[in-house]
Amino acid sequence: MKPLKMGNIEAKVPVIQGGMGIGISLGGLAGAVALEGGIGIISAAQIGYREPDFDTDTKAANLRAIKKEYEKARAIAPEGVIGFNLMVAMRHYEDYVRSAVEAGADLIVSGAGLPTDLPGIVEDAPVKLAPIVSTEKSAKVILKYWDKKYNRIPDLLVIEGPHAGGHLGFAREKLTEFDDFPVYIEEIKRILAVVKGYEEQYGKKIPTALGGGIDTPERVREAMELGVDAVQVATRFVTTKECDADIRYKNAYIEAKKEDIIIVKSPVGMPGRAINNEMIKRVAAGEKIPHSPCHRCLHRCNPAQIPYCITDALIHAAKGEIEDALLFCGANAYKAERIETVKEVIDDLKKLL
Ligand SMILES: Cc1cc2nc3c(=O)[nH]c(=O)nc-3n(C[C@H](O)[C@H](O)[C@H](O)COP(=O)(O)O)c2cc1C
């Protein structure tokens, strides 16, 4: 097994736990993964949802919680590699990035839009930067932009495929085309060819990670055989003891059947993958679900037009209020059969490396 090296930072186990918002991957899960030698990622999406001033001063609550969750993870894994997932689509993205860096994050993983200005925000802080891409086109755009504007390459490039959970980086048609994984493998090869060009230009390796539906040691090995250096895994970590979500959310994965996992259109316009439930059925039937006062979380959301509030629905999920929740999950969530420990999951994933 080769460790994942990003400059002076090294993770013994080349498994990155994907960021999961809202409140699914916080300090508890990220710390546990980092302690086992993987990379633990805290999701900063509306991270302050349990703070008393979340409704009145969302930004202050989120900034405070970024620090708290980082400290929690760090206390669990003093020597581990711990980072944050930050979505470009979030309002106050720059402030949250700066706060994650100040807290001490080793790594910022950023997607849900292209993190074009991320190097400018962190300047020369010693934090590793990892954009998430899903297509050759997005890989080309981000690498070219960082090269031209910042003379910088990513410290890690995360390739997120069509079987991932949460918001997906594909238009509906592409999602259908790439659902056949061998077709997506060709896209991965094209992305890796783009990466190679920049590695040659800079005379430096750009480590890559593949995510989306990787949940067994066989899948991990297949990913590595494609030429990536690590895997990004999220769904498999939801049904762990250490995952920060409510037990009812974890049980929803265990109870889900394959046919319950569907693609939904999130109020922000992107497709997402989730477990079909009462809330989704109500929305599909045309109901407009009243929402709490707007937290102004996303750039592209117009509260007057959305059928439901994504922040409300994801907070319901984290709290285990299952019927009112948007239950984001990866394509293989239905395979979960029991609650495991993070150690069991990591030991299993690395078995064939
Ligand atoms: C419940 C859930 C929430 C997620 N939330 C986010 C998020 O907030 N930001 C993000 O970039 N990716 C998010 N993802 C994507 C994961 O970080 C990861 O890349 C992907 O799900 C990997 O595929 P897998 O779940 O099949 O292992 C989420 C995934 C899940 C399952």
Side-chain angles (χ1 to χ4, degrees):
M1 183 171 71
K2 278 205 214 127
L4 172 62
K5 277 196 183 154
M6 294 174 290
N8 58 339
I9 289 189
E10 185 175 303
K12 273 196 293 196
V13 182
V15 172
I16 304 159
Q17 161 257 306
M20 293 181 275
I22 296 171
I24 312 297
S25 71
L26 297 176
L29 177 59
V33 172
L35 184 65
E36 292 307 321
I39 299 185
I41 301 289
I42 300 166
S43 163
Q46 301 295 56
I47 187 170
Y49 75 102
R50 292 178 297 195
E51 295 291 308
D53 53 350
F54 180 66
D55 286 339
T56 49
D57 193 350
T58 309
K59 185 176 157 190
N62 285 336
L63 290 172
R64 193 177 321 116
I66 284 177
K67 198 160 179 286
K68 275 193 193 172
E69 294 300 331
Y70 177 79
E71 282 167 4
K72 184 172 176 191
R74 187 49 79 203
I76 298 169
E79 309 295 328
V81 184
I82 297 164
F84 278 86
N85 178 290
L86 286 133
M87 298 195 298
V88 180
M90 270 160 39
R91 241 179 257 267
H92 309 301
Y93 171 76
E94 299 192 359
D95 297 306
Y96 297 147
V97 167
R98 286 195 195 98
S99 157
V101 174
E102 261 170 46
D106 295 312
L107 171 72
I108 304 276
V109 182
S110 194
L114 280 177
T116 42
D117 296 319
L118 187 55
I121 303 169
V122 303
E123 296 177 344
D124 47 13
V127 61
K128 306 295 177 211
L129 303 182
I132 304 175
V133 299
S134 289
T135 58
E136 178 195 17
K137 189 174 162 204
S138 51
K140 276 185 171 164
V141 171
I142 194 74
L143 284 156
K144 184 170 174 194
Y145 194 87
W146 282 21
D147 172 42
K148 290 267 172 299
K149 188 152 181 203
Y150 300 107
N151 191 29
R152 183 165 181 167
I153 45 175
D155 300 293
L156 170 75
L157 187 78
V158 178
I159 304 170
E160 196 182 77
H163 296 153
H167 286 121
L168 302 165
F170 304 94
R172 276 260 185 175
E173 316 78 66
K174 277 281 171 201
L175 204 52
T176 312
E177 181 190 334
F178 289 144
D179 193 48
D180 181 9
F181 202 69
V183 179
Y184 189 64
I185 287 179
E186 295 309 311
E187 188 76 3
I188 296 170
K189 289 182 183 161
R190 287 189 284 270
I191 295 172
L192 294 178
V194 174
V195 168
K196 193 155 183 279
Y198 283 91
E199 286 181 327
E200 281 164 8
Q201 184 184 326
Y202 279 75
K204 210 171 145 194
K205 178 157 179 62
I206 304 174
T208 50
L210 179 64
I214 300 177
D215 60 342
T216 60
E218 291 75 18
R219 290 239 158 99
V220 173
R221 194 173 57 188
E222 279 160 26
M224 298 301 199
E225 280 168 3
L226 288 171
V228 297
D229 305 282
V231 290
Q232 174 159 295
V233 176
T235 294
R236 181 92 195 261
F237 285 112
V238 171
T239 44
T240 58
K241 191 171 125 284
E242 296 91 338
C243 170
D244 297 280
D246 187 274
I247 185 66
R248 286 166 290 185
Y249 184 79
K250 301 176 189 182
N251 284 339
Y253 273 40
I254 293 173
E255 284 155 23
K257 296 183 196 64
K258 189 170 186 190
E259 58 273 21
D260 298 330
I261 296 173
I262 57 166
I263 299 293
V264 295
K265 187 173 169 225
S266 138
V268 288
M270 292 168 164
R273 181 172 278 110
I275 301 176
N276 199 2
N277 67 348
E278 261 330 290
M279 206 276 304
I280 289 177
K281 287 178 194 153
R282 282 164 63 196
V283 171
E287 197 178 322
K288 206 164 180 269
I289 299 177
H291 54 80
S292 64
C294 180
H295 296 93
R296 297 180 53 76
C297 52
L298 295 163
H299 285 298
R300 279 197 294 163
C301 181
N302 178 350
Q305 286 177 356
I306 49 170
Y308 64 94
C309 163
I310 188 140
T311 285
D312 283 355
L314 292 175
I315 291 175
H316 283 309
K319 290 183 174 168
E321 295 154 359
I322 296 304
E323 293 311 332
D324 295 316
L326 176 60
L327 301 168
F328 270 157
C329 70
N332 291 335
Y334 70 94
K335 290 194 195 163
E337 287 176 344
R338 64 183 179 93
I339 302 290
E340 300 176 279
T341 62
V342 162
K343 182 173 184 340
E344 283 175 303
V345 172
I346 298 250
D347 284 348
D348 185 44
L349 293 174
K350 70 181 187 190
K351 213 155 63 185
L352 299 178
L353 291 180

